[in-house]
């Protein structure tokens, strides 16, 4: 059951400047930043008729309705973004190797019609 969103609710925003890297055994960074670590929990501090306000002085507004690509209202939604980011390219590579029968099934699932 989802709790209603309101002042005091925790949501997740994507902060491209918040970077955490994998470390090797010597403590040196290896590879790029961890995608999941870009998402950080924040608390809704106010609202307007159309937006939720994050911060103390109108620092950031998140639309209440419609697209909100840099914000997730639930942890499950944030987990879905992370899963898609982590596995999209791997799934696409598998699809590229599918035979015609499987490609037709995938086309039907995604709504593609030639």
């Amino acid at each position: 059951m989802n709790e209603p969103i309101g002042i005091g609710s925790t949501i997740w925003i994507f902060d491209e400047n918040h970077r955490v890297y994998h470390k090797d055994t010597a403590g040196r960074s290896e590879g790029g930043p961890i995608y999941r670590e870009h998402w950080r929990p924040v608390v809704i501090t106010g609202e307007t008729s159309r937006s939720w306000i994050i911060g103390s002085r109108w620092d950031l507004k998140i639309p209440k309705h419609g697209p909100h690509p840099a914000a997730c209202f639930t942890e499950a939604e944030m987990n879905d973004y992370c899963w898609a980011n982590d596995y999209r390219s791997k799934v696409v590579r598998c699809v590229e190797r599918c035979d015609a029968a499987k490609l037709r099934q995938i086309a039907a699932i995604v709504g593609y019609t030639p």
Side-chain angles (χ1 to χ4, degrees), residues 91-106:
V91 171
V92 167
R93 276 185 249 136
C94 289
V95 170
E96 289 175 338
R97 294 187 300 269
C98 286
D99 60 29
K102 287 180 184 170
L103 281 176
R104 286 186 183 100
Q105 291 175 343
I106 294 167

PDB file of all heavy atoms in Angstrom, residues 91-106:
ATOM      1  N   VAL A  91      20.017  -6.585 -22.147  1.00  0.00           N
ATOM      2  CA  VAL A  91      18.795  -7.133 -22.754  1.00  0.00           C
ATOM      3  C   VAL A  91      18.792  -6.849 -24.254  1.00  0.00           C
ATOM      4  O   VAL A  91      18.464  -7.724 -25.065  1.00  0.00           O
ATOM      5  CB  VAL A  91      17.538  -6.560 -22.068  1.00  0.00           C
ATOM      6  CG1 VAL A  91      16.278  -6.954 -22.820  1.00  0.00           C
ATOM      7  CG2 VAL A  91      17.466  -7.033 -20.613  1.00  0.00           C
ATOM      8  N   VAL A  92      19.182  -5.635 -24.633  1.00  0.00           N
ATOM      9  CA  VAL A  92      19.222  -5.283 -26.059  1.00  0.00           C
ATOM     10  C   VAL A  92      20.180  -6.204 -26.802  1.00  0.00           C
ATOM     11  O   VAL A  92      19.863  -6.677 -27.907  1.00  0.00           O
ATOM     12  CB  VAL A  92      19.616  -3.797 -26.241  1.00  0.00           C
ATOM     13  CG1 VAL A  92      19.962  -3.488 -27.682  1.00  0.00           C
ATOM     14  CG2 VAL A  92      18.500  -2.893 -25.756  1.00  0.00           C
ATOM     15  N   ARG A  93      21.352  -6.490 -26.213  1.00  0.00           N
ATOM     16  CA  ARG A  93      22.293  -7.406 -26.872  1.00  0.00           C
ATOM     17  C   ARG A  93      21.691  -8.803 -27.046  1.00  0.00           C
ATOM     18  O   ARG A  93      21.906  -9.451 -28.067  1.00  0.00           O
ATOM     19  CB  ARG A  93      23.603  -7.474 -26.099  1.00  0.00           C
ATOM     20  CG  ARG A  93      24.521  -6.327 -26.478  1.00  0.00           C
ATOM     21  CD  ARG A  93      25.873  -6.435 -25.816  1.00  0.00           C
ATOM     22  NE  ARG A  93      25.883  -5.333 -24.863  1.00  0.00           N
ATOM     23  CZ  ARG A  93      26.295  -5.390 -23.623  1.00  0.00           C
ATOM     24  NH1 ARG A  93      26.785  -6.498 -23.132  1.00  0.00           N
ATOM     25  NH2 ARG A  93      26.243  -4.341 -22.833  1.00  0.00           N
ATOM     26  N   CYS A  94      20.925  -9.260 -26.076  1.00  0.00           N
ATOM     27  CA  CYS A  94      20.260 -10.565 -26.204  1.00  0.00           C
ATOM     28  C   CYS A  94      19.215 -10.528 -27.319  1.00  0.00           C
ATOM     29  O   CYS A  94      19.094 -11.477 -28.100  1.00  0.00           O
ATOM     30  CB  CYS A  94      19.597 -10.962 -24.887  1.00  0.00           C
ATOM     31  SG  CYS A  94      20.745 -11.409 -23.591  1.00  0.00           S
ATOM     32  N   VAL A  95      18.477  -9.439 -27.402  1.00  0.00           N
ATOM     33  CA  VAL A  95      17.443  -9.304 -28.443  1.00  0.00           C
ATOM     34  C   VAL A  95      18.090  -9.307 -29.821  1.00  0.00           C
ATOM     35  O   VAL A  95      17.553  -9.877 -30.775  1.00  0.00           O
ATOM     36  CB  VAL A  95      16.597  -8.027 -28.223  1.00  0.00           C
ATOM     37  CG1 VAL A  95      15.696  -7.740 -29.414  1.00  0.00           C
ATOM     38  CG2 VAL A  95      15.781  -8.157 -26.944  1.00  0.00           C
ATOM     39  N   GLU A  96      19.254  -8.697 -29.949  1.00  0.00           N
ATOM     40  CA  GLU A  96      19.936  -8.660 -31.254  1.00  0.00           C
ATOM     41  C   GLU A  96      20.313 -10.051 -31.759  1.00  0.00           C
ATOM     42  O   GLU A  96      20.473 -10.247 -32.953  1.00  0.00           O
ATOM     43  CB  GLU A  96      21.194  -7.785 -31.165  1.00  0.00           C
ATOM     44  CG  GLU A  96      20.882  -6.321 -31.030  1.00  0.00           C
ATOM     45  CD  GLU A  96      22.111  -5.459 -30.814  1.00  0.00           C
ATOM     46  OE1 GLU A  96      23.155  -5.973 -30.361  1.00  0.00           O
ATOM     47  OE2 GLU A  96      22.003  -4.256 -31.081  1.00  0.00           O
ATOM     48  N   ARG A  97      20.397 -11.016 -30.859  1.00  0.00           N
ATOM     49  CA  ARG A  97      20.765 -12.380 -31.249  1.00  0.00           C
ATOM     50  C   ARG A  97      19.555 -13.317 -31.381  1.00  0.00           C
ATOM     51  O   ARG A  97      19.719 -14.507 -31.606  1.00  0.00           O
ATOM     52  CB  ARG A  97      21.750 -12.952 -30.237  1.00  0.00           C
ATOM     53  CG  ARG A  97      23.093 -12.234 -30.226  1.00  0.00           C
ATOM     54  CD  ARG A  97      24.118 -12.921 -29.350  1.00  0.00           C
ATOM     55  NE  ARG A  97      23.739 -13.037 -27.944  1.00  0.00           N
ATOM     56  CZ  ARG A  97      24.037 -12.142 -27.001  1.00  0.00           C
ATOM     57  NH1 ARG A  97      24.702 -11.063 -27.308  1.00  0.00           N
ATOM     58  NH2 ARG A  97      23.665 -12.344 -25.755  1.00  0.00           N
ATOM     59  N   CYS A  98      18.335 -12.783 -31.227  1.00  0.00           N
ATOM     60  CA  CYS A  98      17.136 -13.619 -31.273  1.00  0.00           C
ATOM     61  C   CYS A  98      16.801 -14.048 -32.690  1.00  0.00           C
ATOM     62  O   CYS A  98      17.069 -13.336 -33.660  1.00  0.00           O
ATOM     63  CB  CYS A  98      15.928 -12.859 -30.715  1.00  0.00           C
ATOM     64  SG  CYS A  98      15.948 -12.697 -28.929  1.00  0.00           S
ATOM     65  N   ASP A  99      16.140 -15.216 -32.790  1.00  0.00           N
ATOM     66  CA  ASP A  99      15.637 -15.653 -34.091  1.00  0.00           C
ATOM     67  C   ASP A  99      14.327 -14.913 -34.398  1.00  0.00           C
ATOM     68  O   ASP A  99      13.795 -14.177 -33.555  1.00  0.00           O
ATOM     69  CB  ASP A  99      15.442 -17.180 -34.118  1.00  0.00           C
ATOM     70  CG  ASP A  99      14.456 -17.667 -33.069  1.00  0.00           C
ATOM     71  OD1 ASP A  99      13.532 -16.915 -32.688  1.00  0.00           O
ATOM     72  OD2 ASP A  99      14.587 -18.823 -32.628  1.00  0.00           O
ATOM     73  N   ALA A 100      13.796 -15.102 -35.593  1.00  0.00           N
ATOM     74  CA  ALA A 100      12.624 -14.360 -36.059  1.00  0.00           C
ATOM     75  C   ALA A 100      11.397 -14.597 -35.176  1.00  0.00           C
ATOM     76  O   ALA A 100      10.642 -13.660 -34.895  1.00  0.00           O
ATOM     77  CB  ALA A 100      12.307 -14.716 -37.509  1.00  0.00           C
ATOM     78  N   ALA A 101      11.188 -15.836 -34.719  1.00  0.00           N
ATOM     79  CA  ALA A 101      10.010 -16.128 -33.898  1.00  0.00           C
ATOM     80  C   ALA A 101      10.041 -15.336 -32.588  1.00  0.00           C
ATOM     81  O   ALA A 101       9.028 -14.745 -32.180  1.00  0.00           O
ATOM     82  CB  ALA A 101       9.931 -17.628 -33.616  1.00  0.00           C
ATOM     83  N   LYS A 102      11.195 -15.307 -31.937  1.00  0.00           N
ATOM     84  CA  LYS A 102      11.313 -14.556 -30.691  1.00  0.00           C
ATOM     85  C   LYS A 102      11.195 -13.056 -30.943  1.00  0.00           C
ATOM     86  O   LYS A 102      10.589 -12.337 -30.145  1.00  0.00           O
ATOM     87  CB  LYS A 102      12.637 -14.871 -29.993  1.00  0.00           C
ATOM     88  CG  LYS A 102      12.665 -16.248 -29.366  1.00  0.00           C
ATOM     89  CD  LYS A 102      13.985 -16.507 -28.683  1.00  0.00           C
ATOM     90  CE  LYS A 102      14.019 -17.937 -28.157  1.00  0.00           C
ATOM     91  NZ  LYS A 102      15.358 -18.304 -27.699  1.00  0.00           N
ATOM     92  N   LEU A 103      11.780 -12.576 -32.046  1.00  0.00           N
ATOM     93  CA  LEU A 103      11.666 -11.150 -32.370  1.00  0.00           C
ATOM     94  C   LEU A 103      10.219 -10.747 -32.595  1.00  0.00           C
ATOM     95  O   LEU A 103       9.799  -9.656 -32.197  1.00  0.00           O
ATOM     96  CB  LEU A 103      12.500 -10.812 -33.603  1.00  0.00           C
ATOM     97  CG  LEU A 103      13.998 -10.646 -33.378  1.00  0.00           C
ATOM     98  CD1 LEU A 103      14.721 -10.417 -34.700  1.00  0.00           C
ATOM     99  CD2 LEU A 103      14.277  -9.509 -32.413  1.00  0.00           C
ATOM    100  N   ARG A 104       9.427 -11.629 -33.231  1.00  0.00           N
ATOM    101  CA  ARG A 104       7.998 -11.324 -33.413  1.00  0.00           C
ATOM    102  C   ARG A 104       7.276 -11.226 -32.064  1.00  0.00           C
ATOM    103  O   ARG A 104       6.424 -10.367 -31.862  1.00  0.00           O
ATOM    104  CB  ARG A 104       7.356 -12.380 -34.309  1.00  0.00           C
ATOM    105  CG  ARG A 104       7.742 -12.237 -35.765  1.00  0.00           C
ATOM    106  CD  ARG A 104       6.976 -13.221 -36.660  1.00  0.00           C
ATOM    107  NE  ARG A 104       7.440 -13.091 -38.026  1.00  0.00           N
ATOM    108  CZ  ARG A 104       8.303 -13.914 -38.614  1.00  0.00           C
ATOM    109  NH1 ARG A 104       8.786 -14.973 -37.970  1.00  0.00           N
ATOM    110  NH2 ARG A 104       8.681 -13.710 -39.862  1.00  0.00           N
ATOM    111  N   GLN A 105       7.624 -12.108 -31.131  1.00  0.00           N
ATOM    112  CA  GLN A 105       7.026 -12.048 -29.793  1.00  0.00           C
ATOM    113  C   GLN A 105       7.409 -10.759 -29.073  1.00  0.00           C
ATOM    114  O   GLN A 105       6.576 -10.102 -28.456  1.00  0.00           O
ATOM    115  CB  GLN A 105       7.465 -13.258 -28.962  1.00  0.00           C
ATOM    116  CG  GLN A 105       6.897 -14.566 -29.436  1.00  0.00           C
ATOM    117  CD  GLN A 105       7.473 -15.746 -28.654  1.00  0.00           C
ATOM    118  OE1 GLN A 105       8.500 -15.625 -27.985  1.00  0.00           O
ATOM    119  NE2 GLN A 105       6.798 -16.885 -28.735  1.00  0.00           N
ATOM    120  N   ILE A 106       8.681 -10.397 -29.171  1.00  0.00           N
ATOM    121  CA  ILE A 106       9.146  -9.156 -28.544  1.00  0.00           C
ATOM    122  C   ILE A 106       8.453  -7.958 -29.185  1.00  0.00           C
ATOM    123  O   ILE A 106       8.016  -7.026 -28.490  1.00  0.00           O
ATOM    124  CB  ILE A 106      10.681  -9.040 -28.638  1.00  0.00           C
ATOM    125  CG1 ILE A 106      11.335 -10.137 -27.788  1.00  0.00           C
ATOM    126  CG2 ILE A 106      11.157  -7.648 -28.201  1.00  0.00           C
ATOM    127  CD1 ILE A 106      12.816 -10.334 -28.033  1.00  0.00           C
TER     128      ILE A 106
END
